[in-house]
Amino acid sequence: MKAFIVNVSQLFSLDTQNSEESNFSADKRKLLIPLYQREYKWEDKNIQSIVNDIKNHEKFLGNIILDEANDCYEIVDGQQRITTCFLLLLSIHNRYQGHMLEQQDIDSLVRPYGGEYILRNDTIGDFVIEKNGLYDISISETNDIYYQKTNFMRAFNTINCIIGGLDSLEKVYDIKQKLQGCQFLVLINNEHSYSKPVEQIFLDINEKAQLLDPEDIFKGHCFENYYEKSYKDLRGMWVQLKKCGMGFTKFGYSHLSQYIYTYFIEYVNSNISTRIELKGRHYLEGKSADDTMKLLHDMIEYGEDVMDFYNKLNQTDYEFVDLCNKSNDYRNTQNSKLLKILCKEMLESTKAQYQKFPLMHFVHFLKNNRNISDEIEYNDFRKIIINLYIYMSLFIIIRGKKSKSDLDHSFYETLQEGEINISKAVDAAKKLRKDKVDTYIFKSKFEYEELSFIYSVIDFYVSNSNWLKNKYTRETGHNLEHFIIPDNKATHFSWKILDRKKKFNLLKLPTSQTR
C-alpha cells in the first residue's frame, strides 16, 4: 500500500514527479471507475457544498483509494468527489470560451495525454464530447447500465449554473486556481500479493467511522469471505447485482442498499437492520465463500426474474406462457390485457413496497419451479393475481405506513411448502385480500385513484371466479364525475364506520357520506 498527498492538478495529470520517488506509475494513463463500482449519485446539495467550499479556499478533499491495474488506476473510493471535480474543470473550460490559453490549461488536466480523457467510467462509457470548442455530457442509453444519465446531466447543469453565475473572469480564474490546489490523500493498493482485496481495505478504513452505505459494507464483507482467485468472478457477480438494484428503481427502490435490505427482510431474516446487521453483527461476518456465493446468486436470480417479467409485460404478444398453463386461450383478449395492466401497476407502485412482495415471490417461484408453472392453469394464476392486487390496493387506500410490521409472509410460506398445492396458493392469496378487506374502514373523502379502484371492484368484480372484468382509469375516459351518480341505481354495498356495520342505498346516502 502506497500513500501520499497530491493536489487536483497532480491527480488529473497522474503527475509522477517527486523528489524521492514516483508517486504514480508512468505507464498508467487514466483513472477508471470500473463496472463493479457504485453509480454517480451526488445530489445538488452535495455538489453545491463542495463547489462553494472550493470557491472560498483551497480545500482538503479527503482520502481516495486506488487499485493499481494493468494500464490504469481503478477508483475504489472517491468517485463522487473525483467526478465532481472533473465536471467542474469541464465547466470552467467552457466559461473561458474565446480564451485559448486558459482552455489549454484545463485541457492539460482533463486530457493530459492527448485524445483520451483522464477519467474513464465503464458504467456509462464515453460521456464527454467536444463541439465547437466546448465540452458537454453525452451518455448513450445502451452504455448507461446503472441509469445515471439523468444524474450526470443534472450535476453538470448545477455546476454550470454556479460557474455561469460568477460575474467576472477574475472570479473564474480564482476558483480554477483554488480547485487545482485542493488536495487528496491518495492510497494505492500496489501490492496485490497482500492478503486482503482493496475492497476490504476500503471497508477497514471507513467502517468504524460509519461513513459507508450498507451497499459498500455488504460488498466489503463479500470480498472478505471470498478467496483471492475468485475476486474476478465476484466482481462480475457484483455488476449483476448492481444491475438488479438499478433495475428495481422502476419499482420505487431508490438504490442498491434498499434492494439488499428488502431482499433480506423477506427471504433471510425480517429482524435484520438496514445495515444488514443482527444483534450488532453484520450478517456476512464469518460466512463461508460458498454461503456468500449462494446468497449473491439467489439475490441476482430473484432480481433478474422480476425484471424479466416486468419487461415482458410491456410486450403486446406476451401471454404469461412461461408462468402458467392454457394462457394462450386468452391471447389478445381484454382479459389478458387487463391482467398485464394489474401486474404492471402493482410492480410500479411506490406506496406499497412490502405489499408488492407476494407478486414478486410468485413470479420468481414459478420461474424456478417449472413443474408448478406447467401445472397451474391460467384461471388459478389469474385468481392469485387479482387477490394480490386487491390486497395491495387496499393497503394504499388505507394509507398504511411502510413498516416491517406490515410484512406478511403467509403467501411466501405457502409457496415454500414441500408439496405445493395450487388450491392452497389460491387460498393464501384470498386470505391476504380478505384480511385487508375486513380491516377496511370506509371514508367520506377520496382521491381519484381510491374511487376508481373502489368502483372498479363494485362494478366489475366477479366473486365466483375471483376476477375483475374491467377497470376504471383516466385513460378510459372515467373522471371523478363518473363516480358521482352510479350506473346501476339499485346498487347496495356495505362498509364499516368506527366498527359499526351499515348498509346504504347509494341514492340515499347522508350528505356527508355521498360520493
Side-chain angles (χ1 to χ4, degrees):
M1 175 70 74
K2 182 190 294 187
F4 51 89
I5 292 177
V6 296
N7 60 35
V8 168
S9 291
Q10 293 168 327
L11 176 67
F12 281 122
S13 59
L14 292 178
D15 187 356
T16 61
Q17 301 305 312
N18 186 282
S19 57
E20 297 180 2
E21 61 175 340
S22 296
N23 288 329
F24 296 107
S25 300
D27 60 340
K28 314 300 181 191
R29 294 297 182 94
K30 62 184 174 183
L31 297 165
L32 174 69
I33 300 170
L35 281 174
Y36 62 87
Q37 287 298 353
R38 65 163 57 229
E39 71 280 7
Y40 179 76
K41 60 179 183 181
W42 259 18
E43 298 178 357
D44 287 349
K45 62 181 180 181
N46 304 109
I47 296 168
Q48 291 164 350
S49 176
I50 193 171
V51 175
N52 287 330
D53 281 350
I54 292 171
K55 280 171 58 180
N56 295 327
H57 52 80
E58 291 182 1
K59 181 177 175 62
F60 176 65
L61 298 176
N63 61 281
I64 60 176
I65 303 176
L66 307 178
D67 193 23
E68 191 173 90
N70 291 333
D71 62 346
C72 66
Y73 290 107
E74 294 184 353
I75 300 173
V76 177
D77 181 26
Q79 72 142 305
Q80 310 291 327
R81 287 164 288 151
I82 292 173
T83 299
T84 301
C85 288
F86 184 78
L87 295 177
L88 181 54
L89 285 170
L90 298 181
S91 182
I92 292 172
H93 173 279
N94 290 349
R95 182 67 195 275
Y96 272 125
Q97 186 175 21
H99 297 263
M100 182 179 64
L101 295 180
E102 293 289 357
Q103 287 189 320
Q104 287 178 350
D105 185 46
I106 301 294
D107 288 339
S108 68
L109 298 180
V110 298
R111 292 194 290 185
Y113 302 108
E116 289 193 353
Y117 295 96
I118 189 67
L119 183 63
R120 168 80 186 181
N121 190 327
D122 277 355
T123 69
I124 55 174
D126 295 324
F127 65 98
V128 181
I129 59 171
E130 183 182 6
K131 187 176 181 180
N132 298 325
L134 299 177
Y135 290 125
D136 200 1
I137 304 300
S138 177
I139 298 175
S140 163
E141 291 187 2
T142 302
N143 296 329
D144 187 16
I145 63 173
Y146 299 150
Y147 313 110
Q148 301 173 83
K149 181 176 181 178
T150 299
N151 282 345
F152 268 85
M153 302 300 289
R154 175 186 49 75
F156 195 47
N157 182 64
T158 297
I159 293 171
N160 285 335
C161 287
I162 296 174
I163 299 303
L166 300 175
D167 56 16
S168 67
L169 287 181
E170 286 76 14
K171 291 183 178 180
V172 177
Y173 178 80
D174 183 59
I175 192 174
K176 184 191 80 166
Q177 293 298 103
K178 288 176 178 175
L179 172 62
Q180 290 176 312
C182 287
Q183 293 183 322
F184 288 102
L185 170 61
V186 180
L187 296 99
I188 297 180
N189 179 39
N190 62 333
E191 296 290 339
H192 290 94
S193 60
Y194 185 62
S195 60
K196 288 186 177 181
V198 69
E199 289 81 6
Q200 181 59 27
I201 297 170
F202 173 50
L203 182 65
D204 292 344
I205 290 173
N206 288 284
E207 187 179 22
K208 299 305 180 184
Q210 299 293 297
L211 298 175
L212 302 183
D213 288 340
E215 161 189 346
D216 299 312
I217 297 173
F218 187 83
K219 181 170 67 171
H221 282 296
C222 286
F223 277 90
E224 183 178 36
N225 295 344
Y226 259 63
Y227 298 105
E228 183 177 359
K229 62 182 180 181
S230 301
Y231 289 162
K232 183 177 179 180
D233 293 337
L234 178 55
R235 287 179 176 130
M237 292 185 73
W238 191 259
V239 172
Q240 291 178 281
L241 187 63
K242 282 285 293 182
K243 288 181 179 179
C244 291
M246 298 309 297
F248 268 52
T249 58
K250 298 175 182 177
F251 312 144
Y253 292 68
S254 55
H255 42 64
L256 178 57
S257 293
Q258 188 180 26
Y259 176 84
I260 294 172
Y261 171 63
T262 51
Y263 179 89
F264 263 83
I265 63 174
E266 181 58 21
Y267 282 97
V268 182
N269 191 314
S270 60
N271 294 317
I272 204 88
S273 74
T274 55
R275 297 182 72 80
I276 319 302
E277 293 178 349
L278 283 171
K279 297 180 180 180
R281 183 182 183 187
H282 197 277
Y283 179 84
L284 287 178
E285 284 187 32
K287 291 290 188 294
S288 69
D290 290 305
D291 289 341
T292 304
M293 181 181 69
K294 183 180 185 308
L295 175 64
L296 289 174
H297 177 270
D298 290 345
M299 294 173 72
I300 292 167
E301 186 178 58
Y302 165 72
E304 290 180 344
D305 284 346
V306 175
M307 288 192 297
D308 177 67
F309 175 65
Y310 176 77
N311 291 332
K312 286 177 178 176
L313 291 175
N314 295 306
Q315 300 172 6
T316 56
D317 60 346
Y318 178 60
E319 299 292 345
F320 306 97
V321 292
D322 56 331
L323 299 179
C324 61
N325 194 11
K326 296 184 179 179
S327 60
N328 274 325
D329 295 347
Y330 296 86
R331 179 175 294 277
N332 296 324
T333 63
Q334 174 63 23
N335 191 300
S336 176
K337 293 176 183 177
L338 181 58
L339 189 58
K340 287 194 282 187
I341 290 173
L342 298 182
C343 290
K344 190 174 179 181
E345 186 175 316
M346 280 192 277
L347 291 175
E348 292 178 346
S349 171
T350 60
K351 297 180 180 179
Q353 291 291 57
Y354 300 146
Q355 286 65 37
K356 69 174 70 175
F357 279 175
L359 172 63
M360 293 177 168
H361 302 325
F362 189 41
V363 170
H364 178 51
F365 175 80
L366 291 177
K367 282 180 173 287
N368 287 273
N369 291 272
R370 192 67 209 179
N371 58 320
I372 305 298
S373 60
D374 287 341
E375 178 185 343
I376 186 171
E377 294 195 0
Y378 180 83
N379 284 332
D380 286 330
F381 175 82
R382 189 181 66 172
K383 286 179 182 179
I384 290 174
I385 296 298
I386 191 59
N387 279 284
L388 297 183
Y389 171 75
I390 295 176
Y391 157 72
M392 192 196 81
S393 299
L394 281 173
F395 175 85
I396 294 173
I397 292 176
I398 296 170
R399 298 197 181 285
K401 295 181 180 179
K402 296 178 182 178
S403 169
K404 284 195 294 187
S405 63
D406 282 314
L407 190 59
D408 192 312
H409 288 87
S410 60
F411 184 74
Y412 167 71
E413 290 168 353
T414 300
L415 294 181
Q416 298 307 307
E417 293 179 0
E419 292 295 328
I420 179 66
N421 184 294
I422 301 303
S423 63
K424 284 187 177 181
V426 174
D427 289 342
K430 285 182 180 180
K431 186 176 186 305
L432 279 180
R433 184 257 302 166
K434 185 177 184 302
D435 288 348
K436 191 59 68 177
V437 169
D438 288 345
T439 59
Y440 175 59
I441 298 176
F442 213 86
K443 304 185 306 181
S444 59
K445 293 183 179 180
F446 299 89
E447 294 181 1
Y448 174 84
E449 289 73 17
E450 298 169 344
L451 282 176
S452 64
F453 166 74
I454 290 170
Y455 281 100
S456 292
V457 173
I458 290 173
D459 291 348
F460 301 122
Y461 182 69
V462 182
S463 59
N464 61 359
S465 62
N466 269 193
W467 182 235
L468 198 67
K469 294 188 297 183
N470 207 340
K471 184 177 183 296
Y472 293 127
T473 66
R474 295 185 189 276
E475 289 72 21
T476 56
H478 295 95
N479 54 33
L480 282 173
E481 292 180 359
H482 172 82
F483 306 122
I484 300 299
I485 301 175
D487 294 330
N488 183 353
K489 296 181 180 181
T491 297
H492 290 71
F493 66 95
S494 299
W495 69 69
K496 183 165 49 174
I497 300 178
L498 301 178
D499 296 326
R500 302 194 309 273
K501 292 186 177 181
K502 293 189 176 183
K503 191 169 185 178
F504 292 91
N505 184 299
L506 288 179
L507 295 180
K508 298 179 181 179
L509 290 177
T511 303
S512 62
Q513 301 290 344
T514 52
R515 294 189 183 186

